[in-house]
Amino acid sequence: MQLLLLGRAGHPEKFVHERRNKYSSDIFQTSLFGENVVFFCGPSANKFLFSNESKLVATWWPSTFSKLFHSNSSVTSTPTGLKTKSVRDVVSAFLKPDVLQNYVPTMDSITREHVEKEWEPKGGELVVVEAVKMYTLELACQLLVGIKDHEHWAGFADRFASVLAGIVSVPIDFPGTH
């Protein structure tokens, strides 16, 4: 709960900083979304993490994420049942340098249009988090799904926020709610 509260207050990093100071370590165990997890912080911990991926370390997703996004791939699954290798393969196909190069003209025009419509009229005062969320959503809708109509993709923002809130929620099992 503390991570969610600090996140809503705009300082989720305090969650990690407090525990690093408390345990005097770059590696510590805590409870997150009702599940035990290990946090890796600092260069040596990250080196260990990335050099042992899929060997000693498993990717973790909240159980709420697992329930929402099932995968039927035959790739080895994580403890939560998600097929992270197949997800990574799909995402990395969009992030290859030659593919990204093809996105640059579209990204440039979306960025210019977004700044002109959303940032400049604000007259120097802008809620950056919300503006960047809308910008990122517009980019994703146009580049990944091909939706160019502003009115069409703008309706996704609230729905996406609802799904995201469901993913990063504390799983509370109330009788009669299944």
Side-chain angles (χ1 to χ4, degrees):
M1 292 297 289
Q2 188 178 14
L3 176 62
L4 292 174
L5 293 173
L6 288 168
R8 289 184 189 256
H11 302 287
E13 71 280 358
K14 285 184 179 180
F15 178 84
V16 174
H17 291 302
E18 288 174 3
R19 280 157 182 75
R20 284 179 76 180
N21 292 336
K22 180 178 179 180
Y23 301 116
S24 301
S25 176
D26 285 341
I27 301 174
F28 60 88
Q29 179 181 351
T30 189
S31 178
L32 192 62
F33 303 108
E35 297 184 38
N36 290 330
V37 296
V38 176
F39 270 76
F40 289 81
C41 310
S44 59
N46 284 322
K47 181 178 180 183
F48 171 80
L49 176 70
F50 291 115
S51 64
N52 288 294
E53 186 178 8
S54 300
K55 296 174 193 166
L56 301 174
V57 181
T59 302
W60 171 82
W61 297 95
S63 60
T64 50
F65 188 94
S66 302
K67 289 176 184 177
L68 288 172
F69 301 101
H70 292 286
S71 174
N72 56 9
S73 172
S74 60
V75 177
T76 305
S77 64
T78 65
T80 61
L82 285 177
K83 318 298 191 242
T84 56
K85 184 168 174 35
S86 63
V87 171
R88 186 181 308 114
D89 290 345
V90 169
V91 171
S92 67
F94 286 104
L95 301 177
K96 290 182 180 177
D98 54 327
V99 175
L100 286 175
Q101 188 175 16
N102 294 332
Y103 295 157
V104 171
T106 305
M107 292 171 72
D108 182 58
S109 75
I110 292 170
T111 303
R112 290 175 190 275
E113 183 179 313
H114 189 80
V115 168
E116 288 172 9
K117 286 183 178 179
E118 304 295 331
W119 295 43
E120 287 177 359
K122 305 290 184 194
E125 188 171 313
L126 177 72
V127 178
V128 176
V129 172
E130 293 304 317
V132 171
K133 282 181 186 178
M134 292 307 291
Y135 168 70
T136 305
L137 180 63
E138 183 176 0
L139 275 176
C141 284
Q142 285 197 33
L143 293 174
L144 304 177
V145 187
I147 299 172
K148 295 183 178 172
D149 180 30
H150 173 81
E151 299 301 321
H152 191 76
W153 67 258
F156 289 138
D158 291 334
R159 291 182 186 110
F160 184 74
S162 295
V163 170
L164 189 58
I167 290 171
V168 290
S169 63
V170 177
I172 300 173
D173 188 13
F174 287 115
T177 59
H178 289 178

